[in-house]
Amino acid sequence: MRNCEYYKEPKEKGKHYAEWANEKRGSSWKAKLRRTIDRVLPTVSSYEEFLAAMRQEGYEIQTTRNILSFRLSGEGQERFTRTRTLGTDYTEEALKSRIGLPQKRPRRRTAQLQNNGRINLLLDIQSHLQGRGPGYERWLKIHNLKEAARTLNYLTEHDITEYDVLTAQTASTASEFEKVSASIKQYEHRIEQVAALKTHIINYAKTHDTYMAYRKASPREKAAFRSAHEADLLLHEAAKRAFNDLGTKKLPTVKILQAEYADLLIKKKTAYEDFKRLRKESQELQTVKANVDALLRIEQVQDYEQEKEKNQEQGR
């Protein structure tokens, strides 16, 4: 055994995209098992010590027909994972040969960075569009180059260089748009209320004398009086019901209502200008984010395809 040597991170083949994507998110049982094995192997001096250490990590161990398998049943894993499915460096023979050897970490794909060290979303997308690839070609056929250019131009003009900033801005603008939409509905509702109340007050004043005359009429005269003045009496009674619904003893004057009505119209007009602006901004941001999500998704899938091809070539 040569302790000065480094083993190379295994390259696996035949892996489905869903599993590969889960590994990228760190949620694959296989990925977790690999990481645990890689962490434990350099710390032990024998195969038996390795198995004992894996049990300490919470793994159940099964050996059937000389096939080594592990399972984290305590964390919900239902099936055993065979080590030979993890790659050529995880067969029983390979594991024994790697005992005590330090692990060499693979170099990660470098991302384009700004001076502040954060990933530049704009440059990243731009570079991938220039490099193209089958996924990008399909996207461009559907959305065309103008859509891609529009997306890049928007990111440039609004100085959006981070995905988190794009996400937050999209959500914030959508939230503002909803608030303005709600305020317009409130203004419109109050405008209707003020207009109706003003009409009731005017009708009440116009029909007051007729209603008082009806009240003073004798029981024998009431039916004939009501028949002759039905419209006025109905308007007066409707006004009284509206006032009772307000639950207030003192009614506003028509002048006050007219002033409130005019103020509400101004507020609604101002809000509507914001409504149009925010609607446009929200639609643009949602389109840009959808395009960015699609492009980043393509990048992820193409990374997977490239990794799969390399693994297949190495497995030949």
Side-chain angles (χ1 to χ4, degrees):
M1 186 180 299
R2 293 174 294 172
N3 290 334
C4 61
E5 292 181 356
Y6 287 84
Y7 90 93
K8 232 179 178 182
E9 185 79 357
K11 302 289 184 181
E12 62 247 54
K13 54 184 177 179
K15 189 190 301 179
H16 293 293
Y17 173 73
E19 182 184 341
W20 180 87
N22 281 336
E23 286 191 13
K24 295 298 181 183
R25 294 191 292 271
S27 60
S28 166
W29 292 119
K30 287 185 178 181
K32 189 166 187 175
L33 179 56
R34 284 194 196 93
R35 289 195 297 269
T36 305
I37 290 174
D38 295 343
R39 176 166 48 80
V40 168
L41 277 175
T43 68
V44 298
S45 57
S46 68
Y47 186 67
E48 289 70 25
E49 190 178 338
F50 162 67
L51 295 180
M54 291 299 289
R55 290 190 182 94
Q56 288 291 323
E57 293 286 338
Y59 280 94
E60 292 180 47
I61 302 174
Q62 185 180 80
T63 304
T64 306
R65 294 192 298 275
N66 295 323
I67 298 174
L68 181 64
S69 303
F70 292 92
R71 179 175 70 174
L72 268 177
S73 59
E75 295 186 16
Q77 184 179 358
E78 296 180 359
R79 297 182 179 181
F80 279 88
T81 300
R82 298 177 180 180
T83 57
R84 70 182 188 183
T85 65
L86 303 179
T88 55
D89 282 337
Y90 293 90
T91 62
E92 189 173 349
E93 296 76 14
L95 292 175
K96 289 178 179 178
S97 69
R98 288 172 51 196
I99 288 172
L101 296 179
Q103 177 186 359
K104 184 178 180 181
R105 299 291 180 184
R107 285 188 295 178
R108 294 182 179 178
R109 183 171 61 88
T110 56
Q112 291 176 307
L113 303 176
Q114 299 184 83
N115 293 332
N116 61 9
R118 289 180 289 193
I119 296 174
N120 190 317
L121 182 64
L122 178 63
L123 294 177
D124 194 42
I125 292 174
Q126 209 166 19
S127 65
H128 282 86
L129 281 173
Q130 289 171 352
R132 299 291 177 85
Y136 291 96
E137 294 292 347
R138 284 193 295 272
W139 188 88
L140 289 172
K141 281 182 181 178
I142 297 171
H143 299 281
N144 68 52
L145 283 169
K146 286 184 179 179
E147 187 66 26
R150 200 175 299 128
T151 298
L152 292 171
N153 286 339
Y154 189 94
L155 294 173
T156 303
E157 291 171 7
H158 295 82
D159 194 28
I160 300 175
T161 59
E162 298 171 61
Y163 182 79
D164 287 347
V165 172
L166 174 61
T167 301
Q169 198 165 323
T170 302
S172 175
T173 304
S175 177
E176 286 183 48
F177 175 70
E178 291 300 324
K179 287 178 182 178
V180 170
S181 300
S183 69
I184 290 175
K185 290 179 181 177
Q186 290 175 347
Y187 291 143
E188 289 175 341
H189 180 64
R190 182 56 186 165
I191 285 171
E192 290 177 2
Q193 286 182 325
V194 169
L197 182 56
K198 186 174 72 170
T199 299
H200 284 310
I201 290 174
I202 292 172
N203 288 339
Y204 184 87
K206 285 168 58 178
T207 59
H208 181 264
D209 291 344
T210 303
Y211 183 76
M212 293 306 295
Y214 170 72
R215 288 283 304 274
K216 292 177 182 178
S218 66
R220 287 186 303 174
E221 295 173 334
K222 277 188 181 294
F225 189 93
R226 186 170 190 92
S227 179
H229 302 86
E230 184 75 19
D232 286 348
L233 293 175
L234 287 175
L235 288 174
H236 193 87
E237 289 164 353
K240 287 186 67 177
R241 285 195 300 271
F243 300 155
N244 290 335
D245 290 341
L246 286 175
T248 180
K249 293 182 179 179
K250 187 177 181 180
L251 292 171
T253 64
V254 171
K255 186 177 180 180
I256 290 175
L257 289 175
Q258 286 175 334
E260 184 182 356
Y261 188 89
D263 182 58
L264 287 167
L265 287 176
I266 292 172
K267 287 179 178 177
K268 179 187 172 183
K269 183 178 180 181
T270 302
Y272 189 66
E273 292 302 316
D274 290 335
F275 173 88
K276 290 189 293 184
R277 174 180 58 81
L278 288 168
R279 180 177 60 187
K280 181 180 178 182
E281 288 180 13
S282 184
Q283 289 173 344
E284 286 179 334
L285 276 165
Q286 287 173 10
T287 301
V288 168
K289 186 176 181 300
N291 288 340
V292 169
D293 285 341
L295 292 168
L296 293 179
R297 173 75 172 174
I298 290 169
E299 178 185 349
Q300 187 182 27
V301 172
Q302 291 193 164
D303 282 349
Y304 161 70
E305 294 293 344
Q306 290 169 4
E307 185 174 320
K308 185 178 178 182
E309 288 177 8
K310 288 179 182 177
N311 291 336
Q312 288 174 342
E313 289 176 2
Q314 291 181 357
R316 289 173 184 169

